[in-house]
Amino acid sequence: MSNLGKILLYIAVAGAAADIYAAYASYQKFGNDKTAVAQAEQARDTAKADLVGAKKAEQDATQTAADATSKLTDAQSKVDDLNTKLAADEKTLADSNTALTAAQTAAKTANDQLQTLNTALNGQTPDDLKAAVKKAQDDLAANQSEVKIMQDQVQDMTAQIAQLKTDVNNVGPGKIPPGISGKVTFVNHAWNFVVLNVGLSNGVVPNGELIVYRGRDFLGKVKVTSAESNSCVADILPDAKADIQAGDDVLN
């Protein structure tokens, strides 16, 4: 073979090798592209799964918030119920304190009466007691004639009290008509209240205020919290200038 023929043969062989390499490169690129597509599809599937998870988490969070709101509402309702019960218990305590004060006053009166009776009976003989019984029986017989008069007076007083209550209502809540005058009969400094010997029959009404004085000295003011026919309970107001004692005078 001539040199030219060899050269042409080499060129043909080189061209064939180049075609083979190009074909291999194209095949290699196709494989890489296919792998990239698979990876993209996998990433897409992963993103979809993440989106589903995020929506599920959002739904769970919404439900949790709703549950928390419901629990908060229930808790607030329980707090309101407890506040209502506390107010009722405080009122019961105040009523109990008022009843205790009245009971203490009645107990003191009964004790004083018992001491007076014991003093009166000290050293007396049975004959003295019999004479006292006879005199009491005579007094009872004499007083029986006055029962009817007293009953009539009670009826008149009942009518007067009813009229006074009507007048008090016309005056208005917490307003005491002028001219009230009475005495402090009991003082509780621990609870800061007093008992007075004036009440509804005198024109005293709850929330009304009275002045307390001793001689010419102004001691302070008291505010009526509850009133009976002939007595009332009142709180000592903070502007009191001195200790209020049993026996002090009150007026309006």
Side-chain angles (χ1 to χ4, degrees):
M1 180 180 295
S2 64
N3 290 332
L4 178 59
K6 290 180 180 180
I7 291 171
L8 293 175
L9 178 60
Y10 288 153
I11 292 172
V13 171
D19 291 339
I20 292 172
Y21 177 78
Y24 177 77
S26 297
Y27 176 77
Q28 185 69 26
K29 183 177 182 301
F30 174 75
N32 292 337
D33 291 343
K34 186 176 181 182
T35 300
V37 170
Q39 290 176 346
E41 290 178 348
Q42 184 178 1
R44 179 197 61 192
D45 294 340
T46 300
K48 287 183 178 179
D50 291 342
L51 178 60
V52 171
K55 289 183 176 180
K56 179 63 168 59
E58 180 184 6
Q59 292 175 351
D60 292 343
T62 300
Q63 183 61 42
T64 300
D67 293 342
T69 300
S70 177
K71 290 180 180 179
L72 177 60
T73 301
D74 292 341
Q76 186 62 50
S77 177
K78 291 179 180 179
V79 169
D80 293 340
D81 292 341
L82 288 174
N83 286 332
T84 300
K85 185 177 182 301
L86 175 61
D89 291 343
E90 288 177 343
K91 183 180 184 303
T92 300
L93 177 61
D95 293 342
S96 298
N97 287 332
T98 301
L100 175 61
T101 299
Q104 289 173 337
T105 302
K108 184 178 183 302
T109 301
N111 185 61
D112 292 343
Q113 292 175 346
L114 178 60
Q115 290 180 356
T116 300
L117 180 61
N118 288 333
T119 300
L121 293 177
N122 187 29
Q124 287 189 337
T125 66
D127 290 339
D128 293 334
L129 294 176
K130 289 180 181 179
V133 170
K134 179 64 170 62
K135 183 178 184 303
Q137 290 175 341
D138 292 341
D139 290 341
L140 175 61
N143 290 335
Q144 285 177 344
S145 63
E146 299 177 5
V147 169
K148 181 63 171 65
I149 297 174
M150 293 177 65
Q151 289 176 341
D152 294 340
Q153 291 176 345
V154 168
Q155 291 178 353
D156 292 340
M157 291 179 64
T158 301
Q160 291 176 8
I161 290 173
Q163 183 60 45
L164 283 171
K165 289 182 178 179
T166 301
D167 295 339
V168 167
N169 292 331
N170 291 334
V171 170
K175 295 182 180 180
I176 299 178
I180 302 299
S181 178
K183 293 280 188 180
V184 176
T185 60
F186 177 81
V187 181
N188 188 319
H189 290 294
W191 291 90
N192 205 41
F193 70 88
V194 297
V195 178
L196 310 179
N197 65 351
V198 288
L200 296 174
S201 62
N202 306 104
V204 174
V205 294
N207 295 322
E209 293 185 2
L210 294 169
I211 297 172
V212 183
Y213 66 100
R214 186 183 303 140
R216 296 183 178 180
D217 296 329
F218 169 79
L219 302 181
K221 293 182 179 181
V222 295
K223 186 173 184 179
V224 179
T225 58
S226 63
E228 301 293 337
S229 178
N230 296 307
S231 65
C232 68
V233 177
D235 288 336
I236 301 174
L237 296 181
D239 61 352
K241 300 182 180 299
D243 287 341
I244 296 174
Q245 302 294 335
D248 289 338
D249 297 304
V250 294
L251 55 78
N252 66 330

